[in-house]
C-alpha cells in the first residue's frame, strides 16, 4: 500500500519559510507585494483568488486586488498591467485565468514584466527554464518537484513519464524533471500504447483533466504517482486523473486529490513572490 505524499503539510512548510523570508525583508523596510487581477466572476476563479489572498496574508505578503467586469476591453486590461509594471511597489503580477474569449491570454501574458511574472508563464520565463537559466517557473510543476524532494524521493536516473503536454504543467514538468537528471518521456493524446509507456515509469506525473484515467493496471510496481488533475466525479466529489484506490495498491508513493498537488501551487506562488524581490536585490 502506497505512502501518502501530504501536500498540505509540505505546502505549510514552504509558506512558513516564505513568512521568515518576508520578515527578514520587512526588517530592512521592504514589503513584498502581489497584484492579483480577476476578470469576471467565475466561481472557481473566485475561490482560487480568495485562497491566494489568504496565503499572502499568512506569508506576510501585501496583496492588491483588481476585480474587473467581464466586459472589460483587452486594451483596458493591458493598460492596467502596464501601470502595475511601472510601479516600484509592486513585485509580482498575476492575472487569473481563464479570461473571457474576447481577450487574448497570450497578449496578456506577454504584457507582464518578466521580472514580475510570478506565475512563470511569460515566454522569457519559459525560455529561461528550457536552457537552464534562473527565473520564474510555473508554480504547479515547481510544486511537484518540491513534493518529491521533501518526501526524500530521488529523481536522478529515474524513468519519469509525464501524461499531458500543456504549457502550464506538462511541458515545464518535463523540463524540470530533466533538470533533476531524470530520463523523461512526455505522453499525450496521440501516444500509441500509452499503458506500455506508463508501466515503465518510476515516477509518473498525470495532468490531463480526465477523472480516474490512470488506474493501478497502468502502473509499474512501486512507482511514485503524482496526480495533478482536479475534477468533479459523477458523485460531485473532487477527484484526480488517477483512480486513487486501485493505484495506491501498486504505487510506493502517491498524492491524494484533494490535499496533494493543489496546495503546492499556491505555496510556490508565494515563494515566487518573495523571489521576485530577492532576485532584484
Amino acid at each position: 500500500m502506497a505512502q501518502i505524499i501530504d501536500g498540505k503539510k509540505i505546502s505549510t512548510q514552504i509558506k512558513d519559510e516564505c513568512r521568515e523570508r518576508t520578515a527578514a525583508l520587512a526588517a530592512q523596510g521592504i514589503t513584498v507585494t502581489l497584484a492579483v487581477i480577476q476578470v469576471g466572476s467565475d466561481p472557481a476563479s473566485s475561490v482560487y483568488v480568495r485562497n491566494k489572498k489568504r496565503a499572502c496574508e499568512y506569508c506576510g505578503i501585501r496583496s492588491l486586488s483588481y476585480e474587473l467586469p467581464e466586459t472589460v476591453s483587452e486594451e483596458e486590461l493591458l493598460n492596467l498591467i502596464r501601470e502595475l509594471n511601472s510601479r516600484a511597489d509592486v513585485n509580482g503580477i498575476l492575472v487569473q485565468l481563464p479570461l473571457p474569449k474576447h481577450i487574448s491570454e497570450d497578449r496578456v501574458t506577454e504584457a507582464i514584466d518578466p521580472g514580475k511574472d510570478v506565475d512563470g508563464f511569460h515566454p522569457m520565463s519559459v525560455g529561461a527554464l528550457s536552457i537552464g537559466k534562473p527565473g520564474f517557473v510555473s508554480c504547479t510543476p515547481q510544486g511537484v518537484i518540491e513534493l518529491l524532494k521533501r518526501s526524500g524521493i530521488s529523481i536522478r536516473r529515474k524513468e519519469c513519464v509525464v501524461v499531458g503536454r500543456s504549457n502550464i504543467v506538462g511541458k515545464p514538468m518535463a523540463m524540470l524533471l530533466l533538470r533533476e537528471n531524470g530520463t523523461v518521456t512526455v505522453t499525450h493524446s496521440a501516444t500509441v500504447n500509452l499503458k506500455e509507456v506508463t508501466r515503465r515509469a518510476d515516477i509518473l506525473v498525470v495532468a490531463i483533466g480526465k477523472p480516474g484515467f490512470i488506474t493501478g493496471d497502468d502502473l509499474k510496481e512501486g512507482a511514485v504517482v503524482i496526480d495533478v488533475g482536479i475534477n468533479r466525479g459523477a458523485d460531485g466529489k473532487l477527484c484526480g486523473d488517477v483512480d486513487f484506490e486501485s493505484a495506491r495498491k501498486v504505487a510506493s508513493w502517491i498524492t491524494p486529490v484533494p490535499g496533494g498537488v493543489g496546495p503546492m501551487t499556491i505555496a510556490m506562488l508565494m515563494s515566487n513572490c518573495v523571489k521576485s524581490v530577492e532576485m532584484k536585490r
Side-chain angles (χ1 to χ4, degrees):
M1 193 70 74
Q3 295 186 68
I4 304 299
I5 300 175
D6 189 343
K8 289 182 179 178
K9 179 180 177 181
I10 295 172
S11 67
T12 299
Q13 292 172 357
I14 292 170
K15 287 188 288 186
D16 286 343
E17 292 164 10
C18 288
R19 187 154 60 174
E20 292 176 4
R21 291 158 67 192
T22 59
L25 291 167
Q28 303 170 53
I30 300 166
T31 300
V32 181
T33 300
L34 170 67
V36 180
I37 303 171
Q38 180 181 358
V39 180
S41 55
D42 175 74
S45 293
S46 296
V47 170
Y48 292 141
V49 168
R50 189 160 58 246
N51 288 340
K52 288 166 185 174
K53 289 177 184 175
R54 287 176 183 161
C56 283
E57 186 177 357
Y58 182 87
C59 295
I61 296 171
R62 181 175 70 129
S63 64
L64 305 177
S65 181
Y66 297 87
E67 297 172 359
L68 307 179
E70 191 152 352
T71 55
V72 71
S73 71
E74 182 177 288
E75 191 56 33
E76 287 173 298
L77 176 55
L78 292 174
N79 284 336
L80 173 58
I81 292 170
R82 293 184 192 110
E83 177 194 333
L84 295 170
N85 283 341
S86 67
R87 285 179 55 172
D89 67 323
V90 173
N91 311 110
I93 301 170
L94 183 152
V95 179
Q96 183 64 42
L97 302 178
L99 292 169
K101 291 181 180 179
H102 67 278
I103 297 176
S104 165
E105 289 187 3
D106 286 344
R107 279 196 286 272
V108 168
T109 298
E110 291 167 16
I112 296 172
D113 178 346
K116 300 184 180 186
D117 172 41
V118 289
D119 252 340
F121 294 163
H122 193 283
M124 285 185 64
S125 300
V126 176
L129 172 62
S130 70
I131 59 173
K133 296 291 185 181
F136 294 113
V137 177
S138 182
C139 299
T140 299
Q142 188 179 7
V144 170
I145 296 295
E146 287 296 320
L147 282 177
L148 294 169
K149 287 185 173 181
R150 291 176 187 241
S151 298
I153 298 166
S154 174
I155 303 168
R156 182 179 177 83
R157 295 181 176 174
K158 297 292 177 63
E159 186 89 14
C160 305
V161 174
V162 180
V163 183
R165 56 178 169 180
S166 71
N167 292 334
I168 293 175
V169 179
K171 291 174 185 174
M173 188 76 256
M175 287 189 280
L176 285 173
L177 290 166
L178 277 172
R179 181 183 284 187
E180 298 295 329
N181 296 306
T183 299
V184 183
T185 301
V186 179
T187 68
H188 43 77
S189 58
T191 298
V192 178
N193 297 326
L194 176 64
K195 184 175 292 191
E196 291 182 12
V197 182
T198 59
R199 281 179 167 174
R200 296 201 312 259
D202 299 309
I203 298 173
L204 180 68
V205 182
V206 188
I208 52 170
K210 294 184 178 181
F213 183 78
I214 296 293
T215 69
D217 191 48
D218 300 312
L219 305 178
K220 175 182 180 180
E221 186 74 35
V224 177
V225 179
I226 306 293
D227 189 352
V228 181
I230 185 160
N231 314 283
R232 290 280 178 189
D235 57 2
K237 293 182 179 179
L238 288 177
C239 63
D241 293 346
V242 176
D243 179 59
F244 183 80
E245 292 304 324
S246 65
R248 70 185 304 194
K249 296 174 184 174
V250 182
S252 58
W253 293 84
I254 192 168
T255 57
V257 177
V261 175
M264 295 298 294
T265 300
I266 291 180
M268 299 318 300
L269 173 65
M270 298 299 104
S271 182
N272 277 351
C273 288
V274 184
K275 181 180 177 180
S276 67
V277 177
E278 294 170 340
M279 284 197 309
K280 288 177 181 175
R281 290 176 59 79

